[in-house]
Amino acid sequence: MASLRVLAGQTAIYGMSSIIGRVLTFLLTPLYTRVFSAGEYGVITELYAYVAFLIVFLTFGMETAFFRFGSQTQDESERRRYFSTAFIAVGTLSAVFLLLLHLFNQPVANALGYGDERIFILYFGWIIALDAIVTIPLARLRMLNKPIPFAGINIASVLAYIALNLFFILYCPYALENTRALGHSLIALHYNPDFGVGYIFLANVMSSGFRFALLLPYLIDLKAGFDAAIMRRLFKYAYPLLILGIAGICNETFDRAFFKDLSPLPNALAEIELGIYGACYKVAMLLSIGIQAYRFAAEPFLFAQTKGLQRDEGQSRIMRYYFVAALFIALSIALFLDLALILIGPEFRAGAGVIPILLLAYVCFGAVFNLSFWYKLNDKTLYGAFIAIAGAVVTVGINIWLVPILSYYGSALATLAAYLVMLALSFGLGQKHYPIAYPLRTIGLYVATAIACFVLNREFPLDGLLKYVSSAFFLACFLFVIIWHEKRYFRDGILARITNFHRF
């Protein structure tokens, strides 16, 4: 239990900036989906999907490799060499990428269908490079247990991004029409209303540059230089993670990056469909906020506890309570979906049916992450690459098969199928090579109860207040099953607190 409390504490500390940042950024979705059309939002969805792909290439597993070896050594000078070597490797690759993109941005823009907006490609080149470069310094802060700088830098960057979005999207059009507005003359001279979503990308470039600037004081360890021997060790560990990362990001973003290519609709209509799907995907990503926070804490925590921790029992309990939390969040969103849909504009709500599918997929995704530690902690990352590749094959295959038939419903089903396959493979291989006694019956009960509550609630098509009463009832039913099944844990926990209080 002590280890679980440590994990919960680290999740709160290191995940808080991620949660706050992603929530604040998510709050821009209502703005985007009301200011921009579905087609314009489709452009945003597609280009940010490419960003996720390319950041994986530029970081090539160095963050996890740095955690793996940096946390093993107690020699601070050696840790500095690991940091400087990893940073120089990622920074050099990012600089080469940026140079090539500046030289060949027009052909790239033409290939992606944005020949008239090649400036978008340049903006995204800078976003990708800057976001890749900061991964190692941020990882260094996490390893050194410096939550305040870590959280402060991330939140400051997000706040800058939001402020710039509000300035470009709301204030500038207002100031353009009002001669008495502050900065009217300057805005009238430089602001172009037809640039549209380009201002979102410009705001991202500026906020990413701001975050990099804030991290500059923490780059002093670069004086340790580049160590070729350390680089070989890092790369040997990381290159399977690169394959894993590419396959993993394929599972996450292939549907949006290649949706237009797979859709039988004309390009303009496919872009509208993509915009609708991308907005609904954002609603489902509410669940991923908690999962991301957990991932931030769990990786350094479990790597640091490779000695002396009863890891098997700890991972079993973590998996059990992960499903409790993830299913509760997913079921809450699914039961009160019409309230969640307020977050996106009316034009985008036609795709609401994909959200429960994506929520279940995200639950599986978090479980796959939990099951990944057996190969990470035992330096068997090739197994992780194999699992991710299998998921990517499923993602690509089902998207190719179903998108022409079911549009974005095919994409959502492909995402769910991929994570189910990865979950099965992760569990099967893990039990063969590093068996852990997971409480499968308990987890199965919780999953079945959540699905049953969702399905039964849909069988009662009520309106008005009665609809919310029904949703609340079935959510309460799910919680009752959890509490009833965990009553021994709750009872023992309360008795322990009473005993400790009397002793005090």
Side-chain angles (χ1 to χ4, degrees):
M1 292 304 298
S3 63
L4 288 176
R5 286 194 292 270
V6 172
L7 177 59
Q10 291 194 359
T11 299
I13 294 171
Y14 292 103
M16 188 58 66
S17 64
S18 175
I19 292 173
I20 293 173
R22 295 191 70 171
V23 168
L24 291 174
T25 304
F26 181 85
L27 292 178
L28 290 172
T29 302
L31 173 65
Y32 293 162
T33 56
R34 286 167 173 83
V35 172
F36 301 112
S37 68
E40 290 175 306
Y41 195 77
V43 174
I44 300 170
T45 301
E46 180 183 13
L47 290 179
Y48 275 109
Y50 287 121
V51 168
F53 265 109
L54 290 169
I55 287 178
V56 169
F57 277 101
L58 297 188
T59 55
F60 61 100
M62 278 293 107
E63 181 183 15
T64 301
F66 171 60
F67 271 130
R68 178 69 178 91
F69 294 105
S71 61
Q72 275 188 335
T73 180
Q74 300 301 315
D75 185 346
E76 185 57 31
S77 64
E78 188 175 2
R79 282 188 178 180
R80 293 192 185 101
R81 288 197 298 275
Y82 274 109
F83 166 75
S84 61
T85 300
F87 179 85
I88 291 170
V90 173
T92 301
L93 187 58
S94 299
V96 171
F97 163 78
L98 197 55
L99 175 62
L100 291 174
L101 197 61
H102 272 267
L103 293 174
F104 303 104
N105 63 86
Q106 189 62 63
V108 172
N110 292 339
L112 296 177
Y114 298 102
D116 295 333
E117 293 96 10
R118 68 189 183 109
I119 188 65
F120 289 1
I121 305 305
L122 292 177
Y123 283 164
F124 272 91
W126 279 98
I127 292 168
I128 293 163
L130 288 168
D131 287 356
I133 288 171
V134 301
T135 55
I136 305 302
L138 288 173
R140 173 73 165 152
L141 290 177
R142 289 161 59 197
M143 182 179 290
L144 294 175
N145 287 324
K146 292 188 175 181
I148 294 177
F150 179 89
I153 289 170
N154 278 318
I155 293 174
S157 172
V158 170
L159 291 176
Y161 177 64
I162 292 171
L164 288 166
N165 269 272
L166 296 177
F167 174 74
F168 287 131
I169 297 173
L170 294 182
Y171 183 75
C172 285
Y174 164 78
L176 201 62
E177 300 296 328
N178 294 271
T179 57
R180 294 184 178 181
L182 182 65
H184 166 78
S185 300
L186 193 61
I187 290 170
L189 185 62
H190 295 285
Y191 185 78
N192 178 13
D194 295 331
F195 197 50
V197 296
Y199 284 113
I200 296 176
F201 310 147
L202 177 59
N204 199 337
V205 174
M206 296 171 70
S207 61
S208 293
F210 176 59
R211 180 170 59 174
F212 177 71
L214 292 176
L215 283 166
L216 287 175
Y218 299 96
L219 301 184
I220 189 171
D221 288 343
L222 289 179
K223 62 185 180 182
F226 184 85
D227 189 311
I230 285 178
M231 185 63 221
R232 286 192 294 271
R233 186 181 303 170
L234 290 171
F235 184 75
K236 182 179 178 181
Y237 182 86
Y239 83 83
L241 293 178
L242 171 60
I243 301 171
L244 188 156
I246 293 170
I249 209 65
C250 180
N251 294 326
E252 293 184 38
T253 62
F254 178 88
D255 52 354
R256 284 155 286 159
F258 296 96
F259 182 86
K260 289 194 305 183
D261 300 309
L262 297 175
S263 174
L265 297 172
N267 191 67
L269 292 178
E271 214 158 58
I272 292 172
E273 293 273 270
L274 177 59
I276 292 172
Y277 179 57
C280 291
Y281 208 103
K282 280 283 189 179
V283 176
M285 285 179 67
L286 285 170
L287 174 58
S288 77
I289 292 173
I291 294 175
Q292 181 68 25
Y294 167 74
R295 290 177 67 186
F296 262 114
E299 191 166 59
F301 169 78
L302 285 174
F303 278 140
Q305 299 295 328
T306 53
K307 296 180 180 179
L309 177 71
Q310 294 179 346
R311 212 165 55 214
D312 295 2
E313 182 183 354
Q315 288 191 62
S316 177
R317 289 181 177 178
I318 287 169
M319 180 69 85
R320 179 190 191 116
Y321 296 119
Y322 160 77
F323 269 97
V324 171
L327 288 170
F328 174 76
I329 296 170
L331 185 60
S332 299
I333 297 171
L335 290 176
F336 295 94
L337 188 56
D338 57 334
L339 296 179
L341 289 174
I342 296 173
L343 296 168
I344 59 178
E347 182 184 2
F348 298 82
R349 296 171 191 171
V354 302
I355 295 174
I357 301 171
L358 293 171
L359 287 170
L360 185 56
Y362 269 122
V363 172
C364 295
F365 169 70
V368 170
F369 175 76
N370 273 329
L371 291 169
S372 70
F373 284 103
W374 72 265
Y375 59 78
K376 288 182 179 178
L377 290 167
N378 293 283
D379 295 348
K380 297 182 182 294
T381 50
L382 280 173
Y383 284 102
F386 166 73
I387 293 165
I389 289 170
V393 170
V394 173
T395 296
V396 174
I398 296 183
N399 269 282
I400 292 172
W401 173 33
L402 290 183
V403 167
I405 304 171
L406 301 176
S407 187
Y408 45 72
Y409 279 90
S411 295
L413 290 170
T415 302
L416 175 59
Y419 286 135
L420 283 172
V421 168
M422 293 174 66
L423 182 60
L425 288 174
S426 297
F427 178 78
L429 290 172
Q431 293 303 97
K432 179 180 179 180
H433 294 278
Y434 195 88
I436 293 175
Y438 291 110
L440 298 182
R441 290 185 179 180
T442 299
I443 291 171
L445 171 65
Y446 295 164
V447 172
T449 301
I451 294 174
C453 287
F454 172 72
V455 172
L456 289 172
N457 186 62
R458 287 179 67 107
E459 294 300 313
F460 297 93
L462 303 174
D463 294 318
L465 181 61
L466 288 177
K467 178 171 65 175
Y468 299 114
V469 171
S470 174
S471 298
F473 170 76
F474 282 106
L475 185 61
C477 288
F478 174 74
L479 288 174
F480 174 79
V481 171
I482 299 294
I483 294 171
W484 176 79
H485 200 269
E486 300 286 337
K487 60 182 181 295
R488 180 178 301 174
Y489 165 76
F490 285 104
R491 183 190 63 200
D492 292 347
I494 292 171
L495 289 174
R497 287 182 176 85
I498 293 174
T499 302
N500 290 335
F501 175 78
H502 284 301
R503 287 177 180 175
F504 176 77

